[in-house]
Amino acid sequence: MVDVILGLQWGDEGKGKIVDYFAKNYDVIARFQGGPNAGHTLYKDGQKIVLHQIPSGIFYEGKVNLIGNGVVLDPITLKKECERVAAFGVHLQDRLYISEKANIIIPTHRSLDRASEAAKGKEKIGSTLKGIGPAYMDKTGRNALRVGDILSSNFQNAYNALKAKHQALLKTFNYTDDITQDEIAFFEAVGFLKTLPIVSGEYFINQKIKEGKKILAEGAQGSMLDIDFGTFPFVTSSNTITAGVCSGLGIAPQHIQEIIGITKAYCTRVGSGPFPTELENEDGQKLRDIGKEYGATTGRPRRCGWIDLVALNYACMINGITKIVMTKADVLDNFDTLQICTAYQLEDNIIKQMPFRLDDVNYQPVLETFEGWNSETPSIKKYDALPDKMKTYINFINRYLGVNIHYISNGPEREQLIEI
Ligand code: GDP
Ligand code: IMO
Ligand code: MG
């Protein structure tokens, strides 16, 4: 049996916290796509930790974590993360398994990411510059190195050949950089990677399913950053949606049961691209300040705005969401009024479906106004004790989406989660 937790917006919905909370109910926690562009925050012994590639179940004893074939893995980042996690007394060799089919990010992938973004100028995607796009291009272009390849005596030659291809491409960008230090770190990190269990991820996970174990698939990024269904071209390079679970882990769709979607009580986006409900005013700044909306991976300020039900409704449809978790509800505690986007307007047309492109014309959000609850909620433990005005806000969203919010997160700590 497999359940899925993934983001419904443009990433950073609080997946790390929510997966860390639910992981206690599962045997295996698996990442199925993305790479070090992700930054999943959780708290361990009161200390904040940001995981980029390691699944967010890593702190539970007796559970295993899998990095699936759909992930693009940067050995350098992985080694650093493993050192950080090991400092808490976690023995990673017992808990972290890596699919031999996961693709590897090499230093020149990051150079290509930088070169491509620089060449785009004002049109840049706002990539995290972790080499994600170029690494997935090598996968679909059938050039990539995979984790299993590091065990081959031919690895150095294969690496040199791929690097030479990248260098030829970098010349066309007129881009040069010095990666000497990165390459030293890369080969050291590849040495470390060999100490972790490298497995056939698909046999590994299907065997667990056969044994009746419970699997939790942890998404990275968000549905609106999906390569097929997001706000293309301002997206990431993988399938972030439920469908990505099957191809990113090698499991059949009928094993999937609950599909839990996470949304913030408002909306954020980091990087470029359309964002109809963005607030470039005092309210936007207030959301950023109270919500501490700065990127967990890049430290960039996140763009902030009201919750967008057109986009959320679309994300629920594409993913087959069965339950919603609404995070950061506490961030809205001190607003006199709140707004919810129920449609987009283009001249006289009211649109409730996601348009083909959002960035070529100026869609205006149609906004419904709600009274704020103006009271402190972070210490509340039961749904009944939440302010009535928050319940009105939640019920409106439930009715619009036709899928219910089952949990409300009212603070960053693991236990700040209210079941409805
Ligand atoms: P992820 O990428 O989806 O895992 O999300 P990030 O970790 O990038 O960003 C979410 C941020 O919000 C982190 O700093 C979390 O600690 C924080 N957070 C998560 N849930 C809540 C919540 O309910 N309330 C508040 N105030 N912060 C939260
Ligand atoms: P988590 O898992 C938010 C955004 C980047 C950029 C676009 C493409 O923490 O939610 P990429 O580096 O993938 O080529 O960047 O996607 N992006 C994210 N935004 N959260 C993330 O991950 C993201 N990963 C990528 O800002 O706009
Ligand atoms: Mg994040």
Side-chain angles (χ1 to χ4, degrees), residues 12-17 39-41 43 296 302 327-328 330-331 409-412:
D12 303 328
E13 297 89 349
K15 297 174 291 294
K17 171 192 155 151
H40 295 181
T41 312
Y43 284 81
R302 294 177 182 144
T327 57
K328 304 193 93 159
D330 54 298
V331 175
S409 172
N410 56 340

Side-chain angles (χ1 to χ4, degrees), residues 313-378:
N313 199 33
Y314 180 72
C316 287
M317 172 180 83
I318 298 290
N319 287 299
I321 296 299
T322 57
K323 285 180 179 168
I324 295 176
V325 179
M326 188 167 93
T327 57
K328 304 193 93 159
D330 54 298
V331 175
L332 300 184
D333 280 353
N334 295 299
F335 282 80
D336 290 332
T337 55
L338 301 168
Q339 293 193 300
I340 292 182
C341 169
T342 57
Y344 302 148
Q345 182 160 9
L346 185 62
E347 289 154 10
D348 289 339
N349 297 321
I350 301 292
I351 299 152
K352 289 197 166 187
Q353 290 195 355
M354 282 305 283
F356 171 61
R357 287 189 81 124
L358 269 175
D359 55 324
D360 50 356
V361 281
N362 192 13
Y363 289 99
Q364 289 300 314
V366 177
L367 296 165
E368 188 122 353
T369 302
F370 292 76
E371 278 182 62
W373 43 92
N374 265 312
S375 62
E376 298 302 315
T377 60

Side-chain angles (χ1 to χ4, degrees), residues 21 39 63 77 81 85 96-97 102 116 123-124 142 158 176 249 279 309 341 343 350-351 353 358 365 379 388 405:
Y21 178 87
K63 319 262 176 213
T77 321
E81 272 185 86
V85 170
L96 182 62
Y97 290 71
S116 158
E123 309 288 301
K124 71 173 184 183
R142 297 162 292 183
T176 46
L249 292 174
L279 292 165
L309 296 187
C341 169
I350 301 292
I351 299 152
Q353 290 195 355
L358 269 175
S379 55
D388 285 341
I405 296 170

Side-chain angles (χ1 to χ4, degrees), residues 233-249:
F234 301 98
V235 293
T236 189
S237 300
S238 63
N239 280 120
T240 59
I241 56 170
T242 311
V245 174
C246 295
S247 57
L249 292 174

Side-chain angles (χ1 to χ4, degrees), residues 45-344:
D45 306 335
Q47 280 190 59
K48 178 174 160 171
I49 296 168
V50 180
L51 296 173
H52 300 287
Q53 303 177 104
I54 298 177
S56 301
I58 198 70
F59 288 107
Y60 287 94
E61 230 178 292
K63 319 262 176 213
V64 292
N65 293 262
L66 174 70
I67 295 180
N69 58 277
V71 169
V72 285
L73 187 70
D74 183 337
I76 302 177
T77 321
L78 183 74
K79 180 166 174 279
K80 281 191 200 141
E81 272 185 86
C82 285
E83 285 162 359
R84 173 100 173 94
V85 170
F88 286 85
V90 174
H91 191 248
L92 284 141
Q93 279 72 11
D94 300 332
R95 279 192 210 174
L96 182 62
Y97 290 71
I98 320 257
S99 164
E100 62 192 359
K101 294 197 174 78
N103 284 223
I104 294 180
I105 297 178
I106 72 170
T108 39
H109 281 131
R110 284 196 300 276
S111 307
L112 282 167
D113 209 354
R114 290 192 288 267
S116 158
E117 284 285 81
K120 283 187 168 149
K122 268 191 7 216
E123 309 288 301
K124 71 173 184 183
I125 307 295
S127 145
T128 59
L129 304 179
K130 303 291 178 192
I132 304 297
Y136 278 115
M137 279 166 70
D138 272 340
K139 179 178 183 173
T140 51
R142 297 162 292 183
N143 289 314
L145 296 172
R146 302 186 294 174
V147 169
D149 295 327
I150 68 173
L151 306 173
S152 151
S153 57
N154 193 42
F155 181 66
Q156 181 74 53
N157 291 338
Y159 170 87
N160 291 344
L162 185 59
K163 178 181 153 187
K165 278 188 190 169
H166 291 169
Q167 282 173 328
L169 254 175
L170 285 166
K171 266 201 191 126
T172 67
F173 280 113
N174 238 336
Y175 187 89
T176 46
D177 60 356
D178 181 4
I179 56 160
T180 321
Q181 289 308 317
D182 276 9
E183 278 192 303
I184 295 169
F186 176 77
F187 282 102
E188 255 178 49
V190 165
F192 168 76
L193 187 52
K194 285 183 190 165
T195 69
L196 294 171
I198 295 170
V199 295
S200 157
E202 60 277 27
Y203 279 113
F204 179 86
I205 207 151
N206 281 288
Q207 181 60 32
K208 296 282 180 197
I209 292 173
K210 245 190 217 157
E211 290 166 9
K213 301 276 197 245
K214 294 174 77 181
I215 320 285
L216 180 60
E218 171 180 3
Q221 291 76 57
S223 304
M224 299 316 292
L225 289 171
D226 180 86
I227 182 73
D228 283 282
F229 299 105
T231 46
F232 191 87
F234 301 98
V235 293
T236 189
S237 300
S238 63
N239 280 120
T240 59
I241 56 170
T242 311
V245 174
C246 295
S247 57
L249 292 174
I251 55 173
Q254 66 266 33
H255 295 304
I256 297 179
Q257 292 188 359
E258 295 289 355
I259 304 166
I260 300 164
I262 310 182
T263 173
K264 281 180 187 169
Y266 48 99
C267 192
T268 64
R269 171 162 207 171
V270 61
S272 330
F275 182 1
T277 61
E278 182 170 12
L279 292 165
E280 289 173 290
N281 61 13
E282 273 176 20
D283 278 338
Q285 189 57 43
K286 192 170 163 185
L287 287 170
R288 189 173 306 114
D289 290 342
I290 301 175
K292 300 195 177 75
E293 295 295 357
Y294 294 89
T297 297
T298 57
R300 292 177 291 179
R302 294 177 182 144
R303 300 155 64 193
C304 298
W306 300 123
I307 196 166
D308 178 345
L309 296 187
V310 180
L312 262 186
N313 199 33
Y314 180 72
C316 287
M317 172 180 83
I318 298 290
N319 287 299
I321 296 299
T322 57
K323 285 180 179 168
I324 295 176
V325 179
M326 188 167 93
T327 57
K328 304 193 93 159
D330 54 298
V331 175
L332 300 184
D333 280 353
N334 295 299
F335 282 80
D336 290 332
T337 55
L338 301 168
Q339 293 193 300
I340 292 182
C341 169
T342 57
Y344 302 148

